[in-house]
Structures are given as structure tokens and as C-alpha cells.
């Protein structure tokens, strides 16, 4: 078995690779946004690109689950994230409901100006299809409902798991552990076993949370048109990368 | 409604007026306390007709009940049309609902109700076309539209959705002649409020609790709801309002508010509250006892008698210049003015030709789904409600948003 430090090294690498890949993907997405092509081909191409991005996210999740099986807790308190990012973490990642908020923010940007044109009589296309179509709007809402419900369920699970630390068996093992004066408490087999058990539960929560993130993302891009999905992915990646970099800068500034 | 706020106890010097209410709570704590029912109900053009009422009412927050359009089919025995007409179907999650071919009887409307930027859904909407035939002289139907914005939890709003129209129906049908609309509606609201009180008193039986807040706090008096109810008759609109949801009439392009929000700092409301011995404290806006950001509501027992359930009733004659009626929760009105809302709704209605007088009954759902211009004014109302909702979200409304648009145009 590898040493803990090399575990963390691998985990850190996994994250860095992911951020680099996102930078790369972002460039590709931005480029695709500017390409002027005729309708049908572009749609197919964009859809493929969107799918590829989702697959990248999925691959990242799989990789970290694999790493988490060896040592899970760093993913919940990552040393590779800025304190800003860490403060935003929900079960080792972003809240899936964030995706929906981002959609609202993006569609909101369009509507205001378009409404003005409507009121001035400058527009007359299908009114309900502004920004998101009525159907998309309904589906996004449905997805939001489901997602928040799932989020709450996992939050509840995490709460239970965290509370369990203060209960049988870990609290009792801790209570009964003795030490020689001036030395730290030693771990014993019992404690290791209990903590391993705890870790396994953490891994399954991590897996479930990642699954929810991926499923929400997948559901969302399937609701959106390829062009919309592209905009959404670009905005999402920019947000992630910005928060990462801004957070690092702020940490440096405050020492 | 984000009306509930943290503890009155935190406001220095005002503690003596405070009854034990909610502990100071952050929004996230509130979230945890609250059951997330269905996050939203949305009324879109992709209508699916749900199973009949008794199956369809489990926990749906919005229930649109529409009379089955009378069939043209000659297979029906003479007279059976009447039964058909009385048979109700619940159409869940869709609002651009179905109009019958007898367009003079069933109003056109659209409805959208979404969770928006909140994590819990506390708005409910109830729409019951032809809910009563009290006006028997004219053989005309009365139509019911209600929008409820819950606070503290959703169960009072849910209860209003389930019961208000039934109560109003009873009151309307038993109290005719001498009784005015005003009295009828006041009685209805008072009965609704009493039912909530009785219900929460009896809610000791946890097993029947409809929502989680009761499981967690034995005392669930700190829950309430706004109610804005429109009864539409062939020649009148009767608006009864309690709280800060709002009804606005769009007439010849201009907005006529048919209700005045019950805010604690409204001068007459402030006076009433103070006369009753209550206080209005500015704590993130004006709040009764520093807690509730509206001065009237259904429920909210712990704030009685300062917060009352007495509605203000507005009766207005319909005219040929009426475009539509908009009922909505403050999720819309906080960020969209009456004028803008009317402008948007009016243009949506105008952009679609009114429904043609003869439509093939029973397939209106399909029709709206594939609607091209001119197919259905229900679609127009749905468009309007969706667009207004989207505008509210675009303007960063942080609340649930529910919008009902009723087409009032005549002789279509």
C-alpha cells in the first residue's frame, strides 16, 4: 500500500489534471461558439462536443472515486482548493442545484432586453419561447425539484454520518483509549477498523453525490439545445475556473 | 413567501410582545425544517391529462380542474351531455388547459407556478372553472381562481388550495339573495381560517400530518398563507384578498389593481395593528411583531389578533375593454410592475387570435401542444403566465413565482 502522502499527491494530481482539462475544453467550446456553419452539421458537432465534456466530467468522477477508496477524507477537505472553493463545497464538489441557478442566470440575461422589444412591438416570434421554451422551462423546473430533493437526502445522510462519530463505536473506543502522560493517543486495531468503516460510508456518499452531479448535468444538457448547452458549459467552466483562481489570489493576499 | 423572519426576541426591547414563535433561524435552518413537497407545478403547453380527480390530488400543489368538454358524439344518449359537463377531470401540472367548445362557459386561462430561486415550494394555485352555478337565473357559471403563498411551511397554502373553493361554493350557494358578495367572501375566508385553526389544533395526531414541520415542532401555529381569490361571473369580477399576493386587471392596455397588498406599514393596517395592541417592527422591512412581513393572512394563529384573515373585497363590473386578469404571488410583483405585467400579458393575448368558436372538443391538449398562431387563446394565456414568470426570474426574484392569467375578452 502506498504512503498517505503519495495518495494525496495522486489526488492533487487528479484535481490538477481535471482543471487543466477544463481549461482545454473551455478553449474548444469557445472556439466552437464562434464557428459559423450551416445548421444541421453544426448541431451535430456541438452535441458531440457537449457530450464529450460531460464524459470528461464523468471520467474525473470515476477517477476520484477510485482514489477515494484508498483515502477518502481529503476529497471532503481538499488541500488543493482555495479556502473560497472549500467554503463552497457540498459533499466534495458543487451543489447540483447550482447548475439550475446558472441556467436561470443565463436565461435572465436575455429576457430583459427581449421583453423591451416585445413591449415596443419590435418582436413577434413565439413569446413563450424566449430564452428557454415553455417546454424547456417546465423541464428545468421539474429537474430542479428532483435535484433539490436528492440533495437534501444526501445532506441528511452526511449529517447522520457526521453525528455517528460521537456515538458507538468510535466515541466509545476513544473514551477507553489510554495514554502515557505527554504522549498522543495511539490508534489501535479497533479504532482503525471503525474509521475504515466510516471511510467506506464516506466513499459511497461521494459516489452518490458525484452521480447526482453527473445526472443533473446530463439531464440539463439534454433539455437544452446544443447551442444553449454550449453556452451553459462555457459559463459553468468559466465560473469554476474563475472561482478557483480568484480564491487562490485572495488566499495569497491574506497570507 | 419569505415573510417569516428570525426571532422577534432578538429585537431589543420588544420581547414583551413576542409570543414564543420560531427560534431565530437562518434560511438554511428553515430549509432543513421544511419538507420539500413538490418543488413546483408548471403549466406548460405540453399538456397531459391526468387521471381523474380522486387519483390526481395526492400531493399536487396545483390542481386544475376542468369540466370535460361536452361531446359532440351522437353515441351519447340525449341528456347525458349534462352529466358529461359536470364531470370533472384534474389536469395536473398543466395550465393552458382545455377549453370546452362552449367558450362562453369556460374561461380561458393560463397558469405557471415555479419554485424559482427558493429551495422549497410554498405557493399553491387552485383553478376551478364553473365551480358553482349559483347564478341560476342566467344559467351561467362562476369561475374560481385562487393563488396562495404560504409561509413557515406550505401546509396552510395547500389546505387553501384544497378547500377554499369548496367553502366559497357552499357560501355562495346557501347565502344568495340578501347576502352581498362582500359578506359571502368574508364568511368564506373566516371559515377557511377557522378550519386551519381547528386542523392545526387537532394535528396532535402526527401520523396524519401532511408535512414535516408538524413532525418537528408540535406547535405549528407559525404557519400561514396569503390568499387572493377571484370569482369571475359573466358580468363581474369579485376579488378577495388577504396578504401580499395581488390581482391586477388589464383593461384597454392599462393596469387596474384590484387588491391592495396587506403590508404592516400600510397606514390603515398599521393603525389597526396598533389598536389591537400589536406592534410593527422594522426588521428586514416592516413586520408584525418583527416577524411577519404582511398584515393579513390565513393561519398564523400566534399573531392573532394583529394579523387577521379578513379579506378586502373588490367588486368590479366587466366591460368590453377588459383584456385579462392577472393573479400572482409577490414573487412576480416584487420585481415586475403592474403596468409591465399588463403590457406583457396583453401583447401575448394579442399575438394569438382568439379561439375559434368551433373546436374539436377533447383534443384541446394536443392542440395546444402543437399550437401555431391562432389556435387557442389558452395557449396565449399560458404564454403570458410563462413569460411573466420568466421575467420575474430574469429580474432576480428570489421567491417562488406563481402567475395566473385569465382571458376576459368577450365575444370571441
Amino acid at each position: 500500500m502506498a504512503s498517505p502522502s503519495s495518495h494525496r499527491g495522486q489526488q492533487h494530481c487528479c484535481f490538477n489534471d481535471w482543471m487543466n482539462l477544463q481549461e482545454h475544453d473551455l478553449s474548444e467550446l469557445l472556439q466552437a461558439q464562434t464557428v459559423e456553419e450551416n445548421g444541421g452539421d453544426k448541431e451535430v458537432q456541438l452535441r458531440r462536443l457537449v457530450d464529450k465534456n460531460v464524459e470528461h466530467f464523468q471520467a474525473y468522477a470515476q477517477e476520484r472515486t477510485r482514489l477515494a477508496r484508498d483515502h477518502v477524507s481529503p476529497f471532503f477537505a481538499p488541500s488543493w482548493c482555495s479556502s473560497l472553493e472549500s467554503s463552497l463545497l457540498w459533499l466534495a464538489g458543487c451543489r447540483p442545484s447550482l447548475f439550475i441557478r446558472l441556467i436561470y442566470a443565463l436565461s435572465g440575461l436575455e429576457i430583459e432586453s427581449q421583453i423591451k422589444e416585445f413591449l415596443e412591438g419590435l418582436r413577434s416570434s413565439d413569446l413563450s419561447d424566449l430564452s428557454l421554451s415553455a417546454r424547456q422551462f417546465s423541464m428545468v423546473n421539474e429537474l430542479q425539484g428532483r435535484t433539490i430533493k436528492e440533495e437534501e437526502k444526501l445532506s441528511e445522510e452526511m449529517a447522520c454520518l457526521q453525528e455517528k462519530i460521537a456515538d458507538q463505536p468510535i466515541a466509545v473506543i476513544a473514551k477507553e483509549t489510554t495514554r502515557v502522560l505527554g504522549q498522543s493517543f495511539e490508534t489501535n486495531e479497533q479504532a482503525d477498523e471503525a474509521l475504515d468503516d466510516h471511510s467506506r460510508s464516506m466513499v459511497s456518499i461521494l459516489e452518490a453525490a458525484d452521480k447526482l452531479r453527473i445526472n443533473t448535468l446530463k439531464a440539463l444538457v439534454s433539455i437544452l439545445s446544443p447551442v444553449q448547452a454550449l453556452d451553459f458549459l462555457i459559463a459553468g467552466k468559466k465560473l469554476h475556473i474563475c472561482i478557483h483562481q480568484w480564491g487562490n489570489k485572495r488566499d495569497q493576499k491574506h497570507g | 413567501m419569505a415573510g417569516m423572519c428570525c426571532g422577534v426576541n432578538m429585537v431589543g426591547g420588544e420581547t414583551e410582545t413576542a409570543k414564543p414563535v420560531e427560534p431565530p433561524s437562518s434560511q438554511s435552518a428553515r430549509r432543513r425544517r421544511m419538507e420539500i413537497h413538490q418543488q413546483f407545478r408548471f403549466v406548460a403547453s405540453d399538456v397531459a391529462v391526468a387521471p381523474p380527480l380522486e387519483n390526481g390530488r395526492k400531493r399536487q400543489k396545483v390542481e386544475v380542474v376542468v369540466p370535460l368538454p361536452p361531446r359532440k358524439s351522437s353515441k351519447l344518449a340525449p341528456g347525458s351531455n349534462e352529466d358529461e359537463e359536470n364531470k370533472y377531470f384534474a389536469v395536473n401540472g398543466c395550465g393552458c388547459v382545455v377549453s370546452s367548445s362552449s367558450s362562453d362557459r369556460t374561461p380561458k386561462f393560463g397558469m405557471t407556478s415555479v419554485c424559482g430561486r427558493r429551495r422549497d415550494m410554498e405557493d399553491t394555485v387552485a383553478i376551478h372553472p364553473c365551480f358553482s352555478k349559483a347564478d341560476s337565473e342566467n344559467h351561467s357559471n362562476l369561475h374560481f381562481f385562487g393563488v396562495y403563498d404560504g409561509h413557515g411551511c406550505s401546509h396552510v397554502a395547500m389546505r387553501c388550495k384544497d378547500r377554499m373553493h369548496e367553502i366559497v361554493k357552499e357560501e355562495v350557494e346557501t347565502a344568495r339573495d340578501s347576502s352581498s358578495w362582500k359578506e359571502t367572501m368574508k364568511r368564506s375566508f373566516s371559515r377557511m381560517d377557522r378550519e386551519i385553526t381547528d386542523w392545526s389544533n387537532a394535528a396532535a395526531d402526527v401520523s396524519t400530518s401532511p408535512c414535516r414541520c408538524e413532525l418537528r415542532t408540535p406547535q405549528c401555529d407559525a404557519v400561514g398563507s396569503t390568499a387572493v381569490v377571484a370569482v369571475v361571473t359573466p358580468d363581474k369580477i369579485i376579488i378577495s384578498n388577504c396578504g401580499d399576493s395581488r390581482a391586477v386587471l388589464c383593461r384597454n392596455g392599462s393596469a387596474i389593481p384590484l387588491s391592495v397588498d396587506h403590508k404592516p406599514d400600510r397606514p390603515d393596517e398599521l393603525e389597526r395593528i396598533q389598536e389591537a395592541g400589536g406592534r410593527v417592527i422594522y426588521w428586514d422591512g416592516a413586520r408584525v411583531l418583527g416577524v411577519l412581513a404582511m398584515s393579513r393572512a390565513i393561519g398564523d394563529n400566534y399573531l392573532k389578533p394583529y394579523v387577521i384573515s379578513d379579506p378586502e373585497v373588490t367588486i368590479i363590473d366587466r366591460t368590453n375593454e377588459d383584456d385579462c386578469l392577472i393573479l400572482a404571488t409577490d414573487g412576480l410583483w416584487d420585481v415586475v410592475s403592474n403596468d409591465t405585467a399588463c403590457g406583457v400579458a396583453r401583447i401575448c393575448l394579442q399575438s394569438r387570435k382568439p379561439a375559434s368558436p368551433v373546436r374539436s372538443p377533447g383534443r384541446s391538449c394536443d392542440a395546444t401542444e402543437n399550437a401555431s398562431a391562432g389556435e387557442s387563446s389558452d395557449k396565449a394565456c399560458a404564454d403570458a403566465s410563462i413569460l411573466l414568470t420568466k421575467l420575474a426570474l430574469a429580474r432576480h426574484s428570489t421567491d417562488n413565482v406563481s402567475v395566473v392569467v385569465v382571458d376576459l375578452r368577450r365575444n370571441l
Side-chain angles (χ1 to χ4, degrees), chain B residues 87-327:
Chain B
K87 193 169 171 185
Y88 282 73
F89 275 75
V91 181
N92 290 312
C94 79
C96 41
V97 170
V98 190
S99 62
S100 79
S101 55
S102 49
S103 57
D104 56 321
R105 294 213 166 174
T106 307
K108 318 260 185 257
F109 59 89
M111 185 278 286
T112 303
S113 183
V114 300
C115 194
R117 289 190 174 83
R118 284 280 299 274
R119 287 177 68 84
D120 37 285
M121 182 58 171
E122 293 175 345
D123 282 4
T124 64
V125 177
I127 297 176
H128 300 271
C130 315
F131 82 113
S132 169
K133 294 195 174 188
D135 202 354
S136 56
E137 283 165 31
N138 304 325
H139 299 287
S140 55
N141 289 309
L142 305 180
H143 313 301
F144 181 100
F145 303 90
V147 169
Y148 313 102
D149 178 354
H151 49 259
C153 183
S154 60
H155 67 254
V156 172
M158 298 273 279
R159 193 73 169 188
C160 287
K161 186 209 79 180
D162 287 343
R163 283 289 292 147
M164 184 71 98
H165 65 284
E166 295 175 355
I167 294 172
V168 173
K169 179 181 161 74
E170 282 170 23
E171 288 297 329
V172 166
E173 289 174 2
T174 54
R176 274 175 228 171
D177 306 333
S178 57
S179 190
S180 72
W181 269 112
K182 202 168 171 180
E183 287 163 18
T184 304
M185 294 312 297
K186 281 182 188 244
R187 266 200 311 276
S188 302
F189 272 56
S190 149
R191 269 183 66 190
M192 185 72 243
D193 187 64
R194 213 162 45 237
E195 276 196 17
I196 298 287
T197 309
D198 296 346
W199 180 51
S200 55
N201 287 344
D205 181 7
V206 171
S207 62
T208 61
S209 286
C211 56
R212 216 160 148 188
C213 71
E214 283 177 338
L215 295 175
R216 297 197 167 186
T217 56
Q219 178 196 26
C220 64
D221 272 0
V223 178
S225 176
T226 72
V228 60
V229 168
V231 175
V232 178
T233 79
D235 53 354
K236 280 186 175 54
I237 301 164
I238 299 97
I239 299 290
S240 315
N241 179 56
C242 182
D244 60 2
S245 298
R246 192 184 306 157
V248 175
L249 175 68
C250 181
R251 175 174 285 175
N252 202 13
S254 50
I256 303 174
L258 297 184
S259 64
V260 184
D261 302 357
H262 291 125
K263 290 288 189 187
D265 52 356
R266 204 178 102 177
D268 53 342
E269 288 293 282
L270 180 62
E271 199 180 325
R272 182 186 59 71
I273 291 164
Q274 284 171 342
E275 265 172 23
R279 308 183 72 157
V280 172
I281 298 163
Y282 288 79
W283 178 262
D284 185 23
R287 289 167 187 272
V288 179
L289 303 190
V291 183
L292 188 67
M294 68 189 80
S295 57
R296 301 193 190 191
I298 306 282
D300 288 302
N301 261 320
Y302 71 121
L303 289 174
K304 283 180 178 143
Y306 323 124
V307 170
I308 58 173
S309 61
D310 212 20
E312 283 187 299
V313 181
T314 306
I315 303 161
I316 191 166
D317 288 331
R318 290 177 63 177
T319 72
N320 288 331
E321 298 196 308
D322 293 352
D323 299 308
C324 63
L325 175 68
I326 303 171
L327 304 181

Side-chain angles (χ1 to χ4, degrees), chain A residues 130 132 138 141-142 144-145, chain B residues 39-40 42 116 119 390 395:
Chain A
L130 263 183
L132 292 176
S138 143
N141 270 299
E142 246 162 71
Q144 182 191 20
Chain B
Q39 289 302 314
F40 58 87
F42 178 76
R119 287 177 68 84
K390 282 203 266 186
R395 293 187 174 177

Side-chain angles (χ1 to χ4, degrees), chain A:
Chain A
M1 207 168 127
S3 74
S5 65
S6 81
H7 276 149
R8 203 162 306 154
Q10 282 179 30
Q11 290 170 346
H12 197 156
C13 262
C14 170
F15 177 76
N16 282 345
D17 290 350
W18 168 231
M19 290 311 282
N20 290 336
L21 182 60
Q22 290 210 85
E23 296 261 16
H24 178 264
D25 283 346
L26 177 61
S27 310
E28 201 175 8
L29 290 166
L30 285 168
Q31 205 184 353
Q33 205 176 29
T34 60
V35 172
E36 296 274 340
E37 268 182 58
N38 43 359
D41 279 358
K42 191 177 180 185
E43 293 260 303
V44 175
Q45 224 178 334
L46 289 186
R47 181 56 75 191
R48 211 175 289 148
L49 186 58
V50 166
D51 290 345
K52 188 174 92 175
N53 273 266
V54 175
E55 278 161 28
H56 285 168
F57 185 33
Q58 203 160 5
Y60 165 64
Q62 271 164 6
E63 174 63 6
R64 68 183 202 151
T65 304
R66 191 183 65 78
L67 293 169
R69 291 211 174 94
D70 290 329
H71 193 35
V72 66
S73 44
F75 287 104
F76 285 81
S79 56
W80 50 84
C81 281
S82 65
S83 56
L84 175 64
E85 279 175 292
S86 300
S87 73
L88 296 171
L89 286 184
W90 173 82
L91 304 186
C94 70
R95 278 188 181 273
S97 52
L98 275 182
F99 300 150
I100 286 133
R101 284 296 279 266
L102 184 57
I103 288 285
Y104 284 151
L106 292 177
S107 75
L109 287 176
E110 287 177 57
I111 288 176
E112 187 72 31
S113 63
Q114 291 173 330
I115 286 270
K116 222 173 170 184
E117 290 177 23
F118 271 124
L119 293 178
E120 288 162 7
L122 302 174
R123 250 170 197 272
S124 59
S125 65
D126 195 343
L127 292 160
S128 62
D129 282 350
L130 263 183
S131 155
L132 292 176
S133 75
R135 196 181 158 77
Q136 286 176 323
F137 191 53
S138 143
M139 289 168 87
V140 168
N141 270 299
E142 246 162 71
L143 180 64
Q144 182 191 20
R146 287 201 306 273
T147 304
I148 289 176
K149 224 178 228 170
E150 291 297 315
E151 254 184 43
E152 298 287 324
K153 238 191 259 170
L154 287 175
S155 293
E156 195 92 346
E157 259 180 59
M158 187 63 181
C160 284
L161 195 58
Q162 288 174 331
E163 284 181 20
K164 244 173 107 179
I165 285 290
D167 203 339
Q168 296 258 32
I170 293 173
V172 177
I173 296 168
K175 181 176 183 291
E176 284 164 6
T177 304
T178 52
R179 68 171 166 188
V180 181
L181 206 63
Q183 288 179 6
S184 60
F185 289 110
E186 282 177 8
T187 51
N188 56 42
E189 222 170 278
Q190 252 188 318
D192 271 335
E193 227 169 81
L195 290 174
D196 283 347
D197 207 38
H198 173 78
S199 292
R200 276 189 287 276
S201 304
M202 297 275 279
V203 173
S204 51
I205 285 190
L206 176 68
E207 268 188 285
D210 277 346
K211 194 172 155 200
L212 182 58
R213 281 184 272 264
I214 289 162
N215 286 346
T216 307
L217 182 64
K218 278 185 177 167
L220 210 45
V221 297
S222 75
I223 291 169
L224 300 175
S225 73
V227 176
Q228 290 171 326
L230 189 79
D231 286 347
F232 167 73
L233 286 177
I234 287 172
K237 289 198 185 301
K238 273 191 171 172
L239 178 65
H240 189 185
I241 293 168
C242 283
I243 294 288
H244 181 64
Q245 293 177 355
W246 294 340
N248 281 334
K249 273 193 196 128
R250 290 171 80 91
D251 280 348
Q252 281 162 18
K253 202 169 109 190
H254 294 100

